[in-house]
Amino acid sequence: LNAAPGPAPRQRVRFLPAPGDGGATALVPSRVPVLADHPLVRGPRFRRLKIGAGHRLDVKASGVFVLGIGHGNKLLTDLYNCHLTKVYTVGGLFGKATDDFSDTGKLVEKTTFDHITREKLERIIAVIQGTNHKALLMYSNIDMKTQEAYELAVKGLLRPMGKSPPIITAIRCLQLALPEFQLEIHCLHETQQYLRKVVHEIGLELKSTAVCTQVRRVRDGVFTLDDALLRTQWNLQSIQKAIKDCRLKVKKEIEKTLG
Amino acid sequence: PRRGLSRAAGPRSARRLREAEEAAPLFQFAGKAAARQERVFVWGFCSSGALGLPSFVRPDAGWKKPRRVQRAPYRLETAGKISSAACGYGFTLLSSSTTDITKVWGMGLNKDSQLGFQRSIRDRTKGYEYVLEPSPIPLPLEKPQQTRVLQVSCGRAHSLVLTDNEGVFTMGNNAYGQCGRKVVEDETYSESYLIHQLKEFDSRVVQVVCGQDHSLFRTRKGAVYACGWGADGQTGLGHYNITSVPTKLGGDIAGVNIIQVSSYGDCCLAVSDEGDVFGWGNSEYLQLASVTETTQVNVPRHLPFKIGKVKEAACGGTGNVVLTEEGNVFVWGYGILGKGPNLLETAEPELIPPSLFGCSALSPDVRVAHVRCGLSHFAALTNRGELFVWGKNIRGCLGTGRMEDQYFPWRV
C-alpha cells in the first residue's frame, strides 16, 4: 500500500528570493511543493490500519465475516442499526449429546435415532418458526393496530429495530440423511453458540439427542459468499476490488432502511 | 492400568476417547407407541363453565379467585378421543366416533336443556343449570353399540347431534321450531328430557349446521333442508315465518349438488361441488350486497365472485370468509376483516396475502387448509398444522394470550 503512488504534494505560493544581479534581492512568487509533504520528511503514509469487525463469528464456525477498514468503520455502525438477517447453514448429528453442544465436547449421553423421519423434523421446525415469529412481532415494538404494522407484516419487513434476544426468522431443512442433517437458519441478534443450542433442543424435542457439527454463515445482511474473499485472495488488489464492488450495495441498503 | 497419584490425569488420547464413547450406554427415549395423542385445547370466557374445567369457575382453594377469561390455549383432559366439537353461546359439545355407550359430552349453560337432562347429584329430581365438566349426554339410540356420532353443532340455545344411521337428534330451545318439532306454547325448556329425532330426509344427512335460532341439514344427494326462525330469511324458504319441520330449500340451489353449508348468526352460505357460492339470510353487514340491496334475502342466491373455485366457506356474525382451491383466503362483510385497521367493511371479497400465513420464499408450499368463523373473529388452519386467528378479541376468544383485537392473522 505504501509503495503505491500517493496523492501529489500540496503546492503553495511562496515568495522566494530570486537570484538577482548584484546584491538586491527581489522576491518572485513561485509555486513550490510544501516540504512537509515530501515522502522523506513525512515517512510512509500508512503505518497502522484501523480494522473493525462486523457481527462476531466464533472459532468453531466459518463463513462470511464483514470487516471495515479505516473510514469504513462508520458504515459498520449503520449496518448494525439496519438489523438485517443473517443466514447460516447448520449441520448436525443425531444420537449424541455433549456438554458444549458441538461434536468436540465431552460426551454426556448417547441415544437411538431410528425413529426420526423428515416429517417429524419439519413439524418441530414449524413449531420453532411459529414461536420465533411471535417473538419477532412482540419485540418489533410497533403497535399492532396500525395500518403500517399490517403493511410491514405483509411484506415481511417487520423486525425488531433495537436490542432483542436472538430471534430466528426462518428455518428450513436442507437434507436429512440419518444420523446427519442440515438446516438453513435465518436469524437476528444471535450467537453461534445459540444456534448450537437450538440444534441440541431439536434433538431433545425429537426424543433423541443432537450435536452441531458445522456452523457456516452464508449471508450477513447484503454480503454473500460470492463477495467473500478466500484465504488465497488476501492481497491488495482483490481487497480493493471487493471494497469497490460492495460500496454501492451498502449505500443503497443503508438508505433504504435508515431513510 | 492404575496410574498412581504422582502423575496428573492429562488429556486422554484420541483412541481412548473413542473407546470411552463406544462403551457409553445407549439410551432410548422414544417408546414403541410413540404416536401423538389427539388433544383438545380450550380458551375464552370461563364463567359459564363452557371450558370444561371446574377450577376456573369454582377454584379448589378458598383464596383463589375464579378465572373470568382464559387467554391462551389450555389442555382439556377428555375421556375419549374427540372427533368433533362445537361451540354454542355459553356451552360446548364434544363427541367421539366410538361405539361405546357414551359418545357425546357437553359442558356450560344448560338452562334450555341444550345439553340434555343433567341429573343433579344433590336433588335427584332437578337438573343442573350450569355444567362445569364434560358430562355425558344420554341419547335415545336404538342400537347404542353400533351407531356412531359423526358431528355435533351448537346454536344459541339448541344443539344437533348427527349419527351415521339413526338420523339427527335435536335438543334445547324450540321456541322457533329450530329443533325440528312443532312449537308448543309456553313450553319450559329447562330440565326437559325431550330429545327429538329427525329421520325424514331424501337421503342420509351428512352435515348439520346451527345458526343462531335456525338449523340447516345437508344430505348426501346435495340438498339442503332448514327449519327454525326465518325473520331474516335465514331458512331460505321464500318467506319470513318460522318453520318447525325441516323443509327443502329451492331458489338458486335447487338441483345443485351442495358439498358444504355454513352458518353462525343469521346469514348462511353454501358451496357447490363446482366451486360456486350461494348465500341467503341476513345481509345487514353487506354479506350479500354483491347481488342485492335488500338487507334480508329469503331465497338462496348465487354470489357471482370471480375468485376461482371455492373449496370451503364459513359464516361469521358479521363477516364471511371463503377458501379457494389454490389455498387463498377471501374475506368480506363488516368488522375486523384481517387486512389492517383501514378495512372495516366491504361487499366484494378481498384476498388476504398468503405471506401472512407463513408462506414465504423459504417455504412456498404453505397453504390454508380450513377456515372457520366465530361471532366477529376468524380462524384459519394451514397444511403445516398452524392455527392463525384474527378479529375482535372479545373476552379472550382469539387465544393469543393478549386481550387486544388482532387486525391481521396471528399465529396461535
Side-chain angles (χ1 to χ4, degrees):
Chain A
L1 249 188
N2 287 327
R10 298 170 283 181
Q11 309 272 9
R12 220 191 316 184
V13 174
R14 286 191 74 176
F15 296 90
L16 295 173
D21 36 20
T25 47
L27 290 176
V28 171
S30 57
R31 212 172 259 273
V32 286
V34 172
L35 268 180
D37 281 344
H38 197 272
L40 288 174
V41 172
R42 195 192 55 207
R45 212 150 63 93
F46 293 102
R47 264 191 297 192
R48 282 190 194 161
L49 277 178
K50 266 210 168 84
I51 300 189
H55 299 107
R56 289 192 195 129
L57 196 67
D58 66 12
V59 179
K60 283 185 267 201
S62 61
V64 176
F65 188 35
V66 177
L67 298 166
I69 302 184
H71 290 291
N73 290 317
K74 298 179 197 144
L75 290 172
L76 273 182
T77 35
D78 290 333
L79 267 183
Y80 178 77
N81 290 335
C82 281
H83 299 284
L84 299 164
T85 59
K86 299 186 264 292
V87 180
Y88 287 82
T89 308
V90 174
L93 197 69
F94 282 122
K96 257 173 46 161
T98 54
D99 54 353
D100 66 347
F101 310 135
S102 77
D103 52 347
T104 51
K106 187 165 111 104
L107 180 72
V108 166
E109 202 175 47
K110 273 201 325 187
T111 54
T112 58
F113 48 82
D114 319 311
H115 57 275
I116 297 178
T117 61
R118 182 137 192 165
E119 191 212 293
K120 287 187 198 170
L121 187 65
E122 304 252 327
R123 206 193 298 160
I124 302 289
I125 281 175
V127 167
I128 293 180
Q129 205 169 344
T131 41
N132 276 281
H133 185 69
K134 279 209 293 199
L136 190 75
L137 294 179
M138 278 204 313
Y139 281 102
S140 62
N141 270 344
I142 294 190
D143 193 7
M144 290 294 139
K145 300 197 185 152
T146 54
Q147 181 66 16
E148 56 163 304
Y150 165 71
E151 275 162 19
L152 285 176
V154 168
K155 286 190 243 165
L157 293 178
L158 206 57
R159 54 177 192 268
M161 285 310 218
K163 273 198 179 302
S164 87
I167 296 184
I168 296 180
T169 52
I171 183 169
R172 181 165 71 132
C173 176
L174 291 175
Q175 40 171 312
L176 175 70
L178 290 175
E180 298 178 344
F181 65 98
Q182 247 196 0
L183 303 169
E184 185 186 321
I185 306 184
H186 297 232
C187 37
L188 278 174
H189 306 154
E190 81 303 338
T191 56
Q192 282 79 42
Q193 192 62 14
Y194 179 78
L195 294 176
R196 292 189 195 103
K197 190 168 149 200
V198 164
V199 167
H200 171 82
E201 279 166 8
I202 288 178
L204 288 181
E205 278 288 318
L206 287 165
K207 296 194 192 156
S208 175
T209 46
V211 291
C212 177
T213 40
Q214 178 209 30
V215 176
R216 186 175 184 232
R217 191 187 282 162
V218 166
R219 216 183 103 109
D220 185 343
V222 276
F223 302 99
T224 58
L225 278 182
D226 306 323
D227 307 321
L229 295 170
L230 298 176
R231 181 71 181 86
T232 50
Q233 291 170 321
W234 289 4
N235 49 27
L236 182 62
Q237 281 80 21
S238 359
I239 294 178
Q240 280 177 330
K241 185 166 153 335
I243 294 178
K244 228 187 316 192
D245 292 337
C246 295
R247 185 177 301 193
L248 191 62
K249 266 201 295 192
V250 169
K251 201 160 91 125
K252 257 198 312 199
E253 187 62 41
I254 292 184
E255 264 171 22
K256 195 170 76 159
T257 318
L258 295 178
Chain B
R2 315 211 35 195
R3 58 172 171 84
L5 296 165
S6 53
R7 255 193 308 151
R12 284 132 146 234
S13 64
R15 193 169 71 92
R16 278 199 197 281
L17 279 174
R18 220 179 26 247
E19 278 168 10
E21 219 178 274
E22 267 145 39
L26 195 70
F27 290 93
Q28 179 167 3
F29 292 117
K32 291 260 166 47
R36 202 175 268 223
Q37 309 259 326
E38 299 268 336
R39 298 175 283 191
V40 177
F41 291 88
V42 291
W43 63 89
F45 187 59
C46 327
S47 298
S48 64
L51 262 52
L53 293 149
S55 54
F56 285 171
V57 183
R58 277 178 187 230
D60 313 319
W63 55 268
K64 285 193 198 170
K65 278 201 265 196
R67 203 185 292 211
R68 195 182 81 99
V69 166
Q70 171 60 32
R71 288 186 218 176
Y74 196 95
R75 171 100 196 264
L76 175 70
E77 299 281 342
T78 50
K81 190 174 141 175
I82 302 293
S83 62
S84 165
C87 296
Y89 286 41
F91 65 105
T92 342
L93 278 186
L94 303 167
S95 79
S96 88
S97 59
T98 71
T99 44
D100 299 339
I101 306 283
T102 322
K103 301 175 207 285
V104 187
W105 294 267
M107 53 250 201
L109 270 183
N110 198 21
K111 290 201 168 160
D112 288 316
S113 307
Q114 52 265 57
L115 306 174
F117 185 74
Q118 302 286 340
R119 199 187 292 273
S120 162
I121 296 181
R122 267 180 286 178
D123 186 351
R124 305 287 296 178
T125 52
K126 295 209 176 37
Y128 278 127
E129 273 192 350
Y130 289 90
V131 178
L132 298 179
E133 246 188 345
S135 314
I137 298 180
L139 294 171
L141 294 165
E142 279 163 36
K143 303 199 188 71
Q145 276 164 333
Q146 283 171 19
T147 321
R148 287 182 196 269
V149 168
L150 298 174
Q151 196 210 333
V152 282
S153 185
C154 300
R156 181 187 61 89
H158 70 295
S159 22
L160 302 178
V161 177
L162 174 66
T163 58
D164 55 353
N165 48 18
E166 290 201 34
V168 181
F169 290 91
T170 66
M171 43 201 169
N173 195 314
N174 195 37
Y176 306 108
Q178 61 263 44
C179 284
R181 55 188 165 91
K182 206 154 130 40
V183 180
V184 174
E185 292 275 341
D186 296 329
E187 183 180 350
T188 38
Y189 297 108
S190 73
E191 296 170 13
S192 152
Y193 286 90
L194 191 55
I195 298 184
H196 190 63
Q197 188 177 13
L198 290 167
K199 276 198 203 173
E200 307 85 24
F201 298 98
D202 61 349
S203 51
R204 206 152 64 79
V205 179
V206 283
Q207 190 193 357
V208 286
V209 170
C210 286
Q212 194 164 357
D213 281 309
H214 69 290
S215 318
L216 296 170
F217 309 87
R218 175 173 70 88
T219 59
R220 200 162 46 84
K221 288 203 184 141
V224 179
Y225 288 74
C227 65
W229 202 37
D232 279 328
Q234 59 262 49
T235 45
L237 295 167
H239 55 78
Y240 292 112
N241 308 323
I242 60 177
T243 321
S244 42
V245 171
T247 327
K248 196 159 168 178
L249 262 67
D252 287 352
I253 21 180
V256 178
N257 188 12
I258 302 287
I259 53 168
Q260 200 236 340
V261 188
S262 167
S263 173
Y264 188 85
D266 293 325
C267 180
C268 315
L269 283 183
V271 177
S272 73
D273 55 351
E274 281 157 27
D276 296 319
V277 182
F278 300 86
W280 65 98
N282 196 2
S283 176
E284 281 168 11
Y285 303 102
L286 309 176
Q287 288 113 321
L288 307 171
S290 51
V291 285
T292 169
E293 288 284 322
T294 56
T295 49
Q296 275 92 12
V297 176
N298 58 4
V299 168
R301 298 283 303 270
H302 174 62
L303 301 175
F305 297 142
K306 310 236 179 346
I307 48 182
K309 202 163 150 191
V310 169
K311 202 166 61 158
E312 200 178 334
C315 271
T318 55
N320 298 343
V321 64
V322 290
L323 173 69
T324 58
E325 288 275 316
E326 303 109 45
N328 290 330
V329 177
F330 289 84
V331 288
W332 77 99
Y334 172 80
I336 301 181
L337 296 175
K339 289 193 68 144
N342 289 354
L343 188 73
L344 282 180
E345 62 172 6
T346 169
E348 292 293 329
E350 302 264 341
L351 172 68
I352 295 194
S355 60
L356 288 173
F357 291 113
C359 173
S360 64
L362 213 59
S363 42
D365 51 347
V366 172
R367 297 269 177 274
V368 177
H370 299 284
V371 280
R372 285 279 188 272
C373 270
L375 189 59
S376 39
H377 61 285
F378 306 86
L381 189 62
T382 61
N383 56 2
R384 284 216 299 203
E386 298 178 318
L387 179 67
F388 288 86
V389 290
W390 67 98
K392 242 182 126 47
N393 197 2
I394 335 173
R395 300 183 281 239
C397 62
L398 289 184
T400 53
R402 302 151 66 210
M403 292 303 282
E404 295 152 13
D405 303 333
Q406 188 57 33
Y407 288 90
F408 56 88
W410 176 282
R411 212 186 232 113
V412 169

